[in-house]
Amino acid sequence: MREALAALLRDPSHGLRGAAADAALLQLAQSEGVGALLHEALAFDPAAPAAPGLRERLARSVFDASARDLLRKRELERVLALFARAGLEPIVLKGWALAHLLYPQPALRPSLDVDLMVPAAARPAAAALLLAEGYDTTTFQGGDLVNAQASYWRDLAPGARLTVDLHWRISTSPLFAHVLTHDWLRPRAQRIPALGPSACGPAFADALVHACVHRAPLGERADRLVWLYDIHLLTRRLDEQGWTEFAGLAARHRLRAICLDALQASARWLGTEFPADVRAALSDAPPEPSAVLLRDGAGWLKWAELDSLRGLRERLTYLRETALPDPAYLLDLYGTQRRWLLPALYVRRALGWLTR
């Protein structure tokens, strides 16, 4: 069924021949994030086989999601304007940026949350602004190396919530602590007029590196079709210079293996094509710490993360922050306010981490 769904995304005229085009297919498309793309593909060929009611259910689902996104978009425009007036220079990442930069209609690229990146130094001001605007959040874990984002949310209407994931790095993993920093992304960013005069997203080469990095730690979920479709569309936006920049970034940050794996996965499922010289440049790579994400084993991953940090001080800080998070975070995590339980909670967390 997933093969049939991917085939339809590759070529809408393919139809759903041989697929179990029923409620199970609809559920699969929604879990893969491509329900709206499936609706568009079926609309391309009204005669394509489909189970009775599938088109109607898809249409209703897409309509409902689009209505909620209109509310989220209006709120996001307001938040971005507030950030701009405060001089915070946010960059819109992932779903919302790609929806407006790549897709013919933003509704074709659903996203439940908005990823905004600010400089690390601007994190307290950005958090204070969101809280002042009525956003809720959870207790922050604390630490500069084990965290890269915090979530804030606000209900806009019944069933419509805007969740803002506030980033100061592109990933929580130390493997990417120095990859695609705000200082790098912002001067190269491109405008997103549909989200307001101050909205901007990453350059296409940067966005493709980010898309490859984003899928790397996800294991079995790495090949979710919506994320591969992002990669598929991004490759179509790169010219010769863009591909040179992409390959250079992958080499500079030692990400060639995970970038090649992402492009190959997109090629396998969606027929993505990319230049032979880029394939060769990514294939001819010495061992890279980030390549551990393509293998199993949490222990090897932690070792690679430690090895990627710069110097003994960073490594000791990372170990301390991992083992001893902020007490308020731990109490919130386990749903208690009994501070006398903290020693037992630290032990419980450590045992769980070691078991994993």
Side-chain angles (χ1 to χ4, degrees), residues 68-293:
R68 289 190 294 270
D69 277 352
L70 285 175
L71 291 174
R72 294 185 182 113
K73 179 176 179 291
R74 184 171 63 182
E75 173 67 5
L76 176 57
E77 291 174 14
R78 189 180 76 87
V79 168
L80 290 174
L82 290 171
F83 272 45
R85 285 199 291 271
L88 297 178
E89 298 188 329
I91 303 169
V92 186
L93 300 174
K94 299 195 296 189
W96 277 82
L98 299 181
H100 290 84
L101 291 173
L102 294 178
Y103 288 76
Q105 302 172 46
L108 295 176
R109 188 7 176 130
S111 185
L112 294 179
D113 49 29
V114 177
D115 296 275
L116 297 183
M117 188 181 199
V118 297
R123 184 179 75 197
L129 187 153
L130 290 170
L131 293 173
E133 292 299 314
Y135 281 76
D136 292 322
T137 188
T138 56
T139 304
F140 180 59
Q141 181 174 349
D144 296 322
L145 294 176
V146 298
N147 286 282
Q149 68 183 69
S151 292
Y152 300 82
W153 60 87
R154 180 169 179 247
D155 290 325
L156 308 177
R161 166 180 288 185
L162 182 69
T163 298
V164 175
D165 283 343
L166 189 66
H167 296 252
W168 46 98
R169 294 198 311 272
I170 65 163
S171 172
T172 57
S173 174
L175 288 169
F176 311 115
H178 307 289
V179 176
L180 300 179
T181 62
H182 187 277
D183 288 345
W184 170 266
L185 292 172
R186 182 70 190 192
R188 295 161 48 83
Q190 53 186 318
R191 294 293 174 186
I192 310 176
L195 296 180
S198 61
C200 65
F204 288 131
D206 299 341
L208 182 53
V209 172
H210 189 195
C212 295
V213 167
H214 174 252
R215 71 176 285 278
L218 298 176
E220 294 180 356
R221 297 177 60 241
D223 288 342
R224 191 170 183 241
L225 288 176
V226 66
W227 295 328
L228 294 182
Y229 206 82
D230 289 342
I231 291 171
H232 179 68
L233 293 184
L234 281 166
T235 62
R236 294 182 171 186
R237 294 301 187 98
L238 295 189
D239 54 16
E240 184 176 353
Q241 179 182 348
W243 279 114
T244 300
E245 290 178 355
F246 169 76
L249 281 168
R252 184 182 317 144
H253 295 297
R254 299 192 290 174
L255 303 171
R256 283 174 285 195
I258 64 174
C259 286
L260 179 60
D261 186 75
L263 292 174
Q264 289 175 332
S266 186
R268 179 213 184 293
W269 286 100
L270 300 174
T272 303
E273 298 178 355
F274 56 101
D277 58 337
V278 173
R279 182 188 296 272
L282 298 179
S283 300
D284 185 22
E288 299 170 322
S290 60
V292 73
L293 291 168

